[in-house]
Amino acid sequence: MAVLCVRFDEDDEGQEIAVFASPFVIGRVEGNLVIDHDTEISGRHAELIRVFDNGRHFWQLHDLKSTNGTFVRAAVALLKDQQEVLLGGRRYRFEIDAADDDVDQKNSSATRKVQRAPSRAEQKALANLVEVGDTGKEKRFAITSTEHWIGRDSRLCSIVLDDVMVSPRHARLYRDKQNRWLLANAKSLNGIWLRISRIDLGSTAQFQMGEQRFSIRIP
């Protein structure tokens, strides 16, 4: 069994639901849990599945090819090209510059004794963080170095988001020694959320679809 807690707004303590069925479908039109008032939730949005593997049972969360995605709260998220994240109340897409990605793939196959200085092209844009919206006008934030701080306060951050749900210093975006891009929560109130297609759930987890936030506890 799993215990699913549904929060319908920020002030709501949540409604707890015992999950016995597998799969347990969440959707706007049909499923074991129907949330018909949230237009950002797809008809059949996501499902919880109980899996037995390697001698143990555990739960997985599957997105059912929803339009707006399913997001899981994370302390640190590995970012790949086209990965989507939630920061505050808005959704963003991470785009790696193709030329920079090619350079990383070539350099990852060999150990360099001397660190190569970045070229002018690399200084211009290593990647971009793009706000995803319905207006058709994408707001782009250029990633010009291997470390950026993201938040609401321009004195603390190089990427400034005008969003009251974003903390003054919300997250750190950086590239590690393996040339992987990582996004780490900086003790922000609302955290960072990673779009997933499928993920194994631990004993506790938080996820979001549409405007609804969920937490799950597995006794």
Side-chain angles (χ1 to χ4, degrees), residues 1-6 8 15-20 24 32-33 214:
M1 183 191 76
V3 179
L4 182 67
C5 182
V6 188
F8 293 102
Q15 175 186 343
E16 288 193 345
I17 302 168
V19 178
F20 294 98
F24 182 92
N32 303 86
L33 175 61
F214 305 82

Side-chain angles (χ1 to χ4, degrees), residues 192-208:
I192 60 174
W193 303 73
L194 184 72
R195 185 169 183 168
I196 58 94
S197 57
R198 175 179 301 191
I199 193 170
D200 294 344
L201 299 174
S203 58
T204 60
Q206 296 181 56
F207 59 96
Q208 178 165 337

Side-chain angles (χ1 to χ4, degrees), residues 50-66:
R50 191 167 184 257
V51 177
F52 182 77
D53 184 50
N54 201 23
R56 70 183 184 97
H57 286 96
F58 58 95
W59 288 86
Q60 287 183 340
L61 175 63
H62 296 192
D63 182 78
L64 298 175
K65 298 182 180 179
S66 65

